[in-house]
Amino acid sequence: MVKTKTVFFCKECGFESAKWSGQCPSCRSWNTMTEAEVSASPKKERARAALTGSKPTSLKEISLDREDRISTGIGELDRVLGGGIVPGSMILVGGDPGIGKSTLLLQACRELSARGVSVLYISGEESLKQIRMRADRLGVFSGDLKLLCETDLTAIGDILRNEKPEAVVIDSIQTMYNEDVSGTPGSVSQVRESTAVLLQLSKSLGISVFIVGHVTKEGTVAGPRILEHMVDTVLYFEGDRHASYRILRGVKNRFGSTNEIGVFEMGEQGLSEVENPSEFLLSGRPQGASGTVTACTMEGTRPVLLEIQALVCQTSFGLPRRQASGADLNRINLLMAVLEKRLGLKLGQCDAYVNVAGGMRINEPAVDLAIAMAVVSSFLNIPVDEGIMAVGEIGLSGEVRSVSQVQQRISEAAKLGYSTCVLPKVNAEKAEKVKGIKLVAVESVRDAIALIKK
Ligand code: TYD
Ligand code: MG
């Protein structure tokens, strides 16, 4: 008799508890705790997956082949992975349904197989014909890419042990089924156990595994967040479904940095890489409008220019409305309080909407100055010179504080034809001159705002 016990999992974050509650104590979402059976005895499939007997090894004996990362052939994907796939690693690719996860991974499989890497693409969602149709849209597949439509993990385990491919794609984890555990595919217990089996297979056979996980706001399917702690690398694929660009963001990476992003554009023939995201994000910038300023944020090692938009108008109700998309609302409230106190602007009676154009999310204080300038420009209804790019962190007394990696930001602005870079005085003293761009040093927000009124 297999002993079973019942526990409750949160569908959003995977929090485990012995008793049910209406609100998850960990992520505070409501009605997400679901009952799941877990058997107390070790899982058959998982035990089978652990092929190698474990024994202690001395640190010196472990061979170091660090440099044998496998390049996926897609530069932006390699960048987010930290330079390619580490053999034997597990990579979770999360994202909303329909955002392009299957497309991205099929393209990665195409490039990998063209380089002679043996790849197996396992789909639990689409039939072989449907995958073929997608592949035809993507273009020529020169390598030998193996496909499999299967949802039973026992069968998948056997195939992996026989074929021993170098890389495997599981599309998606929410369709996988393991007969050792109760629950329908997509339930918390199935998703967790399936991942555990795949983890064992990946580590014992040295296979790199990509797992696709659909992000679900509501519904009966467990989201990929409950797997984040089990895998080596977590990537999220995001973007507006109705716009063509997509951003691949690293959230966790045991083998690289997590602040790199990859930018793609979805077209008729699948995803193409966007090598210069700044140009892309700034396209469609309004001419001669008030309330728009260009800022520069660092995404990992790469400077990215983006447009900050602000709309400030008289409030028609008692309580002013403040809204932010792509930026932190608390930070905007703070900046507006600084502007009110230090410059005497009557912003307390104004609604304010701040938007980062292009759907980027920023949380770097270096964009403070651009946000402040955009807010004041909209408030005064005076456009900021379009050739200005502004960086700087704003302190509570209205001082403009230094930012990091300023030289790269200046170069990026110069490359895109900006004529002026507004930057903190401390940075300006050390910065080297770049041809074609004028550096304007500011010590306080007052100095920066004076540039608008001029
Ligand atoms: P898909 O990769 O199936 O999304 P996911 O696996 O994340 O659910 O992407 C499907 C969307 O991408 C669909 O709306 C159609 C679009 N698409 C293109 O615009 N061009 C293409 O070449 C392909 C293959 C898909
Ligand atoms: Mg898909």
Side-chain angles (χ1 to χ4, degrees), residues 43 59 69 82 88 120 154 159 191 208 213 215 225 228 245 289 300 324 419:
K43 301 288 176 303
L59 181 65
R69 282 183 187 251
L120 179 61
T154 320
I159 290 170
V191 167
S208 311
V215 171
R225 281 200 54 199
E228 281 179 2
Y245 58 84
S419 57

Side-chain angles (χ1 to χ4, degrees), residues 202-319:
S202 142
K203 299 293 172 211
S204 61
L205 300 172
I207 306 174
S208 311
V209 181
F210 282 93
I211 294 180
V212 173
H214 293 293
V215 171
T216 49
K217 293 270 146 37
E218 270 145 56
T220 51
V221 187
R225 281 200 54 199
I226 59 167
L227 307 177
E228 281 179 2
H229 65 283
M230 300 170 86
V231 299
D232 298 310
T233 303
V234 180
L235 311 178
Y236 277 99
F237 206 34
E238 16 186 91
D240 190 348
R241 275 191 69 164
H242 306 289
S244 62
Y245 58 84
R246 302 280 185 273
I247 294 167
L248 187 67
R249 194 182 288 278
V251 177
K252 165 184 172 180
N253 196 346
R254 286 198 182 131
F255 315 111
S257 125
T258 51
N259 38 25
E260 292 290 357
I261 60 163
V263 187
F264 295 91
E265 191 176 0
M266 178 68 95
E268 268 310 299
Q269 268 127 38
L271 293 156
S272 49
E273 299 174 51
V274 176
E275 253 132 51
N276 197 336
S278 304
E279 219 166 300
F280 192 70
L281 288 166
L282 290 171
S283 60
R285 208 185 152 199
Q287 303 281 308
S290 67
T292 134
V293 179
T294 304
C296 183
T297 174
M298 295 301 294
E299 290 288 354
T301 50
R302 199 159 41 156
V304 175
L305 292 190
L306 31 80
E307 181 195 347
I308 308 280
Q309 299 181 323
L311 184 68
V312 179
C313 47
Q314 277 295 295
T315 181
S316 24
F317 303 104
L319 199 65

Side-chain angles (χ1 to χ4, degrees), residues 141-155:
F141 279 64
S142 54
D144 182 25
L145 171 62
K146 290 260 171 35
L147 301 174
L148 176 70
C149 287
E150 185 59 76
T151 55
D152 181 4
L153 265 177
T154 320

Side-chain angles (χ1 to χ4, degrees), residues 285 293-295 373 384-390 418-422 451:
R285 208 185 152 199
V293 179
T294 304
M373 285 173 79
V384 178
D385 179 4
E386 274 149 32
I388 287 184
M389 188 282 280
Y418 281 80
S419 57
T420 315
C421 174
V422 181
L451 295 171

Side-chain angles (χ1 to χ4, degrees), residues 299-408:
E299 290 288 354
T301 50
R302 199 159 41 156
V304 175
L305 292 190
L306 31 80
E307 181 195 347
I308 308 280
Q309 299 181 323
L311 184 68
V312 179
C313 47
Q314 277 295 295
T315 181
S316 24
F317 303 104
L319 199 65
R321 235 174 109 79
R322 302 273 162 90
Q323 228 171 348
S325 81
D328 179 17
L329 184 61
N330 289 330
R331 191 81 201 163
I332 287 161
N333 280 328
L334 183 144
L335 291 174
M336 290 183 68
V338 170
L339 290 172
E340 176 141 20
K341 179 87 179 172
R342 306 292 165 200
L343 300 180
L345 299 175
K346 293 264 172 292
L347 292 167
Q349 284 309 307
C350 291
D351 290 345
Y353 305 89
V354 175
N355 176 33
V356 179
M360 285 281 287
R361 265 190 297 127
I362 41 163
N363 45 20
E364 209 199 346
V367 296
D368 284 357
L369 191 59
I371 295 178
M373 285 173 79
V375 166
V376 175
S377 154
S378 177
F379 178 72
L380 301 173
N381 207 12
I382 306 174
V384 178
D385 179 4
E386 274 149 32
I388 287 184
M389 188 282 280
V391 284
E393 177 183 343
I394 295 177
L396 290 189
S397 35
E399 80 276 19
V400 177
R401 311 173 72 102
S402 69
V403 297
S404 62
Q405 288 153 300
V406 80
Q407 203 62 49
Q408 274 147 292

Side-chain angles (χ1 to χ4, degrees), residues 98 100-103 121 125-126 134 171-172 212 214:
K101 300 180 293 299
S102 307
T103 309
Y121 184 98
E125 298 191 335
E126 288 158 297
R134 187 199 297 273
D171 189 2
S172 64
V212 173
H214 293 293

